[in-house]
Amino acid sequence: MTSQSEPNSNPTAASPTEEVQKKEEKKRLTYTVREVSSSDPDDVDTVSWVLSKAFLDDRVMNYFGGLKVCPTTREDPKGRTIYLFYKFLITAALTQGGRLTVATTTEKEIPSDPRSKLKNGETIAGVSCWYPPHKRLPVFNVPLMLRCGIWKVLKRWGVRGLMRSAVEYSGLTEKTHKATFKTHAKSQKESRVKGLTPEDAWYLQVVMTVKEFEGQGVLSLLVRDAYQHSKKTIPGPFILEATSERSRDRYEHLGYKLESDQPKTVLGPGKVDNIGLAVRKGSTTKDSMKGGKAEGTEYWCMVNIFRQTTF
């Protein structure tokens, strides 16, 4: 015997599916993209604080800091170093003409860190920082680096941290991006593409979404804002590095690609595990805190050469 469901006693009432859709619509917030400048040091500090939380367990940060365990808070000395590092990166980018943008909301019902608010009272939901074409951080300009605050980081990471970030990571990344552009040039007939180099690209220093605002399209909003800004100012390709499989997949949805023959970019083979934590020599356990496979930690150099013309 089959049964027939009873008709809704209220013909105007919404179905369960419609109720869920309405709730989802209510959750979707309105965001504003704003630029933050070096003339607003308090806001720069706030942005740095927000950024650091998102990268407490980042594999590249683990490697730079020579960590054995990921910090869990920014009050932890190792967590505070990550905050200082991102403050240095942002300050340095702004001195070189970089563009720091935030997606903000006035939503008050979603709980957030009190320190994630700008001076105007708006809450930061996401952050991005871009270097324009032909503008990069001159890592061997010691006076500039010190002025931007690198010495606070070096006091904690030491010379090893400097070598890993400024020499090893930067060198490997630059080499990979150059190879990618050469590959693109060989496959394209247009002379304008053949002449492009990574220096002609907008470089994404960092981008993130605050956890409480994930799934709201904040990352896409910030990246697309950069595309529009590029079209109005300096059209060019875009390059970045993804430091997790999750971010790599998200960037692919935004048009960034990996070449099929692109070599792997791996930091610290023989020194760290796949999430950048130091491995104790001679140990065979899988737990990286006790020692595991020192396979090194992989990240991905990605490029979007045609975005300025296809967006």
Side-chain angles (χ1 to χ4, degrees), residues 8-185:
N8 194 318
S9 59
N10 182 357
T12 61
S15 68
T17 301
E18 290 173 333
E19 289 292 345
V20 172
Q21 290 176 341
K22 287 182 178 180
K23 288 181 180 179
E24 290 299 321
E25 289 175 0
K26 289 181 181 179
K27 291 179 183 178
R28 188 156 296 276
L29 308 176
T30 300
Y31 299 97
T32 302
V33 176
R34 302 190 182 281
E35 285 195 45
V36 178
S37 72
S38 56
S39 63
D40 297 315
D42 291 339
D43 282 349
V44 170
D45 186 69
T46 298
V47 171
S48 306
W49 183 256
V50 172
L51 271 173
S52 59
K53 184 177 182 180
F55 292 92
L56 285 176
D57 60 351
D58 182 78
R59 63 182 68 185
V60 173
M61 290 297 100
N62 291 339
Y63 181 64
F64 288 173
L67 303 184
K68 297 179 181 179
V69 181
C70 296
T72 56
T73 71
R74 286 159 292 183
E75 284 72 23
D76 178 286
K78 293 181 174 60
R80 179 167 176 78
T81 304
I82 294 175
Y83 150 69
L84 293 172
F85 180 71
Y86 277 101
K87 187 171 183 179
F88 156 72
L89 286 183
I90 289 175
T91 302
L94 292 174
T95 64
Q96 296 302 111
R99 184 170 184 257
L100 176 63
T101 60
V102 293
T104 64
T105 179
T106 56
E107 174 62 44
K108 297 180 180 180
E109 295 182 2
I110 295 181
S112 59
D113 186 337
R115 285 190 63 178
S116 66
K117 294 183 183 295
L118 298 176
K119 287 191 299 183
N120 63 9
E122 295 178 354
T123 299
I124 297 174
V127 179
S128 69
C129 185
W130 302 81
Y131 275 95
H134 304 287
K135 297 284 187 179
R136 296 291 189 271
L137 174 63
V139 295
F140 295 108
N141 185 333
V142 177
L144 174 64
M145 298 278 282
L146 292 175
R147 203 161 56 242
C148 292
I150 189 62
W151 65 273
K152 294 181 180 179
V153 180
L154 291 181
K155 283 171 60 178
R156 294 162 173 83
W157 281 355
V159 175
R160 180 182 62 182
L162 175 64
M163 295 299 293
R164 287 183 173 186
S165 58
V167 179
E168 184 181 355
Y169 179 84
S170 296
L172 181 58
T173 298
E174 182 180 358
K175 179 181 177 181
T176 304
H177 279 309
K178 283 183 177 180
T180 300
F181 272 74
K182 287 183 179 179
T183 300
H184 273 282

Side-chain angles (χ1 to χ4, degrees), residues 55 58-60 169 241-245 247 251 298-300:
F55 292 92
D58 182 78
R59 63 182 68 185
V60 173
Y169 179 84
E241 295 92 49
T243 59
S244 71
E245 290 81 356
S247 62
Y251 296 144
E298 184 178 9
Y299 68 100
W300 297 268

